[in-house]
Amino acid sequence: MKITYKISFLFLFLAALVASTPHANAREQWSEDKANAWWKQTGWLAGCNFIPSTAVNEIEMWQANTYDPKTIDRELGLAQGLGFNCVRVFLHDIPWQEDPKGYLNRINDFLKIAQKHHIKVMFVLFDSCWNPYPHAGTQPAPRPFVHNSGWVQCPGADYLAHPERLDNLRPYVQSIVGRFRNDKRIAFWDVYNEPDNLNNSSYGKEEPANKERSALYLLQSVFTWAREMDPSQPLSSGVWKGNWSDPTEFSAFEKVQLCESDIITFHNYGKLDDVEACVKNLQHFHRPIICTEYMARPRGSTFDPILGWFKANDVGAFNWGFVSGKTQTIYPWDSWDKTYTDEPPVWFHDIFRTDGTPYRPEEVEYIRSVTGAAGKKPKG
């Protein structure tokens, strides 16, 4: 079985290299040794997917007139109090297109606030989830009781429906990665979130017919564009379907994601046994493993015992959701099809209410016991 895996992974690695056709001046994928040395130096990373409670989506978080450093500071203080040492944060090309210099300055300001709280940052450059029609300016108010009703894709359908425009995104990637390529406040780059997500439960009928083909090209390209800037931080794109037990069944997206990433990242919203199977299968890549999305209470994906298992097995851990706010991720995914009129009986995501009080105090204490923050005065 071990020999079969090695042969299969070698084949996939070669296939991914051919598919991505990197430029001659793009640095190579990190070796296993370099990736593992980075992890050893960095140490275990634990945190959350972060957006301030006052923003409905990535554009509202980053636009000049809605960027909210006061709330960011307060809520990252709560993250520090939990013992979180890193946050995953989504960027968007539209604020950059409008004002590249101002956007880079706001990113730098965010990094300063995070550093104040001893928190590193993992930035996400592209995202295929939710609304395919992002726009600048005033963002829509949240639809009452609907999970992530205002979240938008990056890039939007105006790019994915016209693949000849995709190369125009290269300056966005290289401006940001180039500016922060040696910044120790950045843990690593997540180049593309769930690129093959077609949003069948929400916006599926509004997606461009050629989205998969365009997204695969963009996935291949963003690795190249980012590597051309020679960042000191590793690159990754997380797989999110299945448990990756059979390499011969990997999709074209998974082949690129798993064979181009310097470190391995994945998503899992299942119970502990499902998480264990994923990690066991991904260990065949002999690279650091980080779960960049988990924790959906009604599905059995809970901090206790999963966060503790991640820590015991040296797997990085980033739950979805933090402070309940305009993204409304206390409501489940099925809120797109099922009507909710009040707070759900069990929160789907998120840890704190908007005023900073814990949704479940015992859960907060468990997190702090795992991260080593127990016994220290909570921040906030």
Side-chain angles (χ1 to χ4, degrees), residues 76-88:
L76 287 183
L78 292 171
Q80 181 184 3
L82 289 181
F84 285 169
N85 58 13
C86 192
V87 289
R88 183 175 186 240

Side-chain angles (χ1 to χ4, degrees), residues 13 16-17 20 22-31 125 170 173-174 177-178 181 189 191 219-237 256-263 287:
F13 176 72
L17 287 180
S20 57
H23 293 194
N25 59 338
R27 75 157 167 84
E28 296 180 352
Q29 179 197 32
W30 279 7
S31 67
L125 296 172
R170 181 177 177 179
V173 171
Q174 297 195 328
V177 176
R181 58 186 289 271
W189 302 94
V191 298
L219 172 66
Q220 295 163 340
S221 297
V222 66
F223 273 108
T224 297
W225 298 339
R227 285 199 169 115
E228 286 176 343
M229 306 314 293
D230 194 23
S232 59
Q233 311 95 342
L235 309 178
S236 189
S237 177
V256 176
Q257 290 172 290
L258 291 170
C259 297
E260 285 290 322
S261 291
D262 298 319
I263 58 176
R287 294 174 179 271

Side-chain angles (χ1 to χ4, degrees), residues 144-209:
F145 315 114
V146 176
H147 178 110
N148 246 342
S149 66
W151 199 270
V152 290
Q153 295 185 36
C154 174
D158 55 339
Y159 280 98
L160 296 176
H162 301 281
E164 69 277 5
R165 295 192 61 202
L166 290 172
D167 285 342
N168 294 338
L169 293 164
R170 181 177 177 179
Y172 156 71
V173 171
Q174 297 195 328
S175 172
I176 294 174
V177 176
R179 166 74 180 271
F180 300 103
R181 58 186 289 271
N182 289 318
D183 199 314
K184 296 184 183 303
R185 298 171 297 179
I186 294 177
F188 65 95
W189 302 94
D190 188 336
V191 298
Y192 205 152
N193 179 65
E194 299 188 1
D196 50 339
N197 194 328
L198 298 179
N199 300 290
N200 292 324
S201 63
S202 54
Y203 291 94
K205 294 180 180 179
E206 300 177 46
E207 295 278 27

Side-chain angles (χ1 to χ4, degrees), residues 89-104:
V89 178
F90 287 71
L91 302 175
H92 204 284
D93 69 288
I94 286 179
W96 184 87
Q97 303 283 358
E98 290 200 302
D99 178 17
K101 183 178 179 181
Y103 190 24
L104 292 172

Side-chain angles (χ1 to χ4, degrees), residues 268 271-281 283 309 313:
N268 187 285
K271 297 179 180 179
L272 180 57
D273 57 350
D274 194 18
V275 171
E276 291 176 334
C278 290
V279 171
K280 179 181 179 181
N281 294 327
Q283 284 174 336
W309 188 89
N313 289 274

